[in-house]
Amino acid sequence: MKPNDVILHSVTKAAVVIILTFSIYLFFGGHHNPGGGFIGGLSTASGLVLLYLAFDIETVRTNIPIDFKKVAGFGVLLAIMTGFGSIFFDVPFLSQTFGHFDLPIFGETELATAVLFDVGVALAVIGTAITIILSISEDG
Amino acid sequence: MSLFYVVIFLPFIFAIFVPFIYKLFTPRIHTGWFVFLVPLSVFLFLLQYIPAISKGNTIFYDLPWMPSLGINYTTYIDGLALIFGLLITGVGALVVLYSISYMSKHREALHNFYVYMLLFMGAMLGLVFSDHILVLYVFWELTSISSFLLIAYWYQRKSSRYGAQKSMLITIFGGLAMLAGLIMLSMLTDTYSIREMISKANVISSDSLFLPAMILLLLGAFTKSAQFPFSIWLPDAMEAPTPISAYLHSATMVKAGIYLVARFTPVFGGSSEWFWIVSGIGMITLICGSVTAVNQKDLKALLAYSTISQLGLIMSLLGLGSAAMYFGDGDASTMYAVAVLAALFHLINHSTFKGSLFMVVGIIDHETGTRDIRRLGGLMSLMPVSFTLTIIGSFSMAGLPPFNGFLSKEMFFTGVLTVIKYPVFGMEAFALLVPLIAWVASVFTFIYCMILVLKTFLGKHRPERLDKVAHEATIGMLIPPIILASLVIVIFFFPNVVSHNLLQPALVGILPEFAETGGIDVEIKPWHGWNTELFMTVGVVVFGALMYRYLKKWSLFYGLIPQFLILNNIYNQSLKLMETISLKVTNRYMTGFIRDYLVYIFSFMILVLGVALWLSNDFSFDPSNDASISLYEGGIIFLMAITALSVFFANSRLTAIIAVGALGYLVSLLFVIFRAPDLALTQLVVETVTTALFLLCFRYLPELRKEISRIRFKMTNLGVSIGVGAIVTLMALSVNNHRLFDSISGYFEGAYTLAGAKNIVNAILVDFRGLDTMLEILVLCIAGLGVYTIIKLQLAGREKE
């Protein structure tokens, strides 16, 4: 008999949304508060792992058709590219800058190139964590 | 670049083309004919320097190699270098000519043979003409290597490989020692040039490095020139083809050591150590070599030991002659200088007669199929030309008139008798011993020369013992020894031509004091009148003949020499012993267990850090500046200690994993208390993941090996781990009390103005030290891909099975 985990499924659906939101908050809040790319990435990964636990791998894979190895690679690439970006402005490799802009909806907002770099970090962390967990689980 | 260098490097240049020539012309034309042109043309080129050299001039050339390091191929042509240059190319040309008939163009790998040989020739030329010690060393090792290749020319034979390895080990050992000596010399004098070293000889002699430099240098010379106790490689090198034995192991390479000693006599000569070591070792080699040669059954081995003994003779003469520098001026000085002249003269003579003897032995081997004295005999009528050549060579070697060996042997006796007349360096007590050894050695030399002639060519011919039907060799093979043998006679009748043109300029090179007085003018005469030397020679002949007559009776004594005293056995045993010991030692510590290696690593760490801490006296413990410990911190540390200990005493692995996880969470609590929210968050998540992975590993442990047991107690492990813990704690405490500078964290407090971030940690991670983060995510990515690859490859492998 197939075990009926409807409660788990329902809770997961709600929890994953909260976890993902929280991880995005952690990611963007990292600039001024505890958090940042690494934690944000890890908590996103934990949300995804919850999905894998609740449903089976194939189901998740059809709904989120992403190759996480590529995500990891892309993250590293992005981080390195932001480093090269500074070269175009005749400053040393990986120099970051920031500025305050008056955006239509957000009002006065601080934008920093460091966020782009952090995106790379987050993607690399997500990609790596999921790759490791998926490959191990497939092996078992 | 001067033409001189082109000519000197001609052998190297031509060696490149030899394989092509071999491919192109074999088997129509023997490759040796092309090679023959090389030494011949170099020989003819070098002849043009004789007029200038004999007038006492020297010629200087310079070829930049590494000018920024002061390493250039500088050349200083004087009499000594020219003698060697002419010997190398002259004998070289004859040997190549001989090898054309000796080495079959159908069966032998001639391209290898001639490439090695040209390599050797070029190295030897480079060696003798080099004034720069490091360049000299380069060529020195090149002669060792090419000699190694030549000895192992028939590499299919085990004995060839053994001989090659032995000569390689010994000569390279000496070469490296020599390099150390040369470097010491260059440190003392601040120059690489031998000429300049000679001009600074007084600086060297007063320095404490004088003796080490000298001994190291002599190690090089003695190993190369097969002096006692390094002579053992030479008999085994006789596995080489006979042209090679004739060339390398009688006429040229073994004289490289002689050259070195002669070259450095102006630097070291005049000191008692040099005098004692060089002449002493020379004497020992002389007597040992000649005594051993008598007992040989193989003709080439006999010649090898005789070469050793003759080299000892030359070496001892050089040693005795160095006393001339001690006396400076006067009669005694001139008398000792005659010894050096005798050494140089015998050097040339030995090359001529030993070269021809080797060639004759090669002919005998070639035409009868054996070199064993016991199987040969009665070849006189079958091989009359070889017989004549052997007579000339042997009688010259024994020191009989009318051959050049007689002249140099007489001068040798004059040299050793000088010691009695003018004793130096505490020689008085041993003065009589020197001529006695020389005389006894000469008697033995006479005996083995007689063996060589009489046992091979006289007696009864027994064709049934030979593999081939004995007959005279072809004319091509006979011409080179005939040329050498005629030189033996020509030099006897006109010794002063050689002496004036070559020997005396060379003498000035070895003993520079005589340069001012214009050298010594010694007329080499075959007839001195009835002097002591002549009576000694008569005694040698009489005693030698008598001892040869009763050879069978007293040669039994050779069997009484204990086995462990034979140098060869010592060499073999020590080589074997070294191998066994190093194998045992290696097996003892290279156990293959990671546990043992970890013990080494950690013990080493404890040792190094502990000794450093103890010696530097830097340990300090001063809690006055430390913050106070709150209840929370103390409590968490206490809990951490308990969880950490419980890992050791856990009965099952599961408990240990859980305990490690708990430890991680406690650490993250500690981060919270120490106000590191980012760290706490990260630690929490990472700890969860690692614990999950641990559990995964635990889950998949193979059934068979699954053992739920406590960690076994081992005293070493306990000692090492306590030691590491203690040392790290001590280091941390000391470091805490050695803060030399203020922290740079003040800079990062301006993160908001500098990077627009209020989170300092994150600002450091992505902005101030973004490069670290970038590489860390790369590490992470590689780890992920690594896990993926390992698992996928494993799966693929499983499917294949």
Side-chain angles (χ1 to χ4, degrees), chain A residues 29-99:
Chain A
H31 210 50
H32 294 310
N33 294 307
F38 200 78
I39 308 294
L42 272 181
S43 45
T44 312
S46 68
L48 292 172
V49 169
L50 188 59
L51 280 179
Y52 283 118
L53 285 175
F55 308 93
D56 64 309
I57 291 177
E58 282 312 311
T59 318
V60 182
R61 190 170 281 164
T62 43
N63 287 294
I64 312 173
I66 297 171
D67 186 353
F68 285 97
K69 295 187 291 298
K70 285 179 187 159
V71 172
F74 180 70
V76 176
L77 193 67
L78 188 68
I80 295 172
M81 294 307 282
T82 59
F84 279 110
S86 61
I87 287 179
F88 292 110
F89 297 96
D90 208 21
V91 283
F93 182 71
L94 261 181
S95 299
Q96 310 286 10
T97 184
F98 66 98

Side-chain angles (χ1 to χ4, degrees), chain B residues 294 442-451 544 547-548 551 554:
Chain B
V294 175
S442 299
V443 171
F444 276 96
T445 307
F446 184 84
I447 298 168
Y448 69 68
C449 290
M450 289 306 111
I451 292 175
M547 283 181 80
Y548 177 74
L551 182 65
W554 61 265

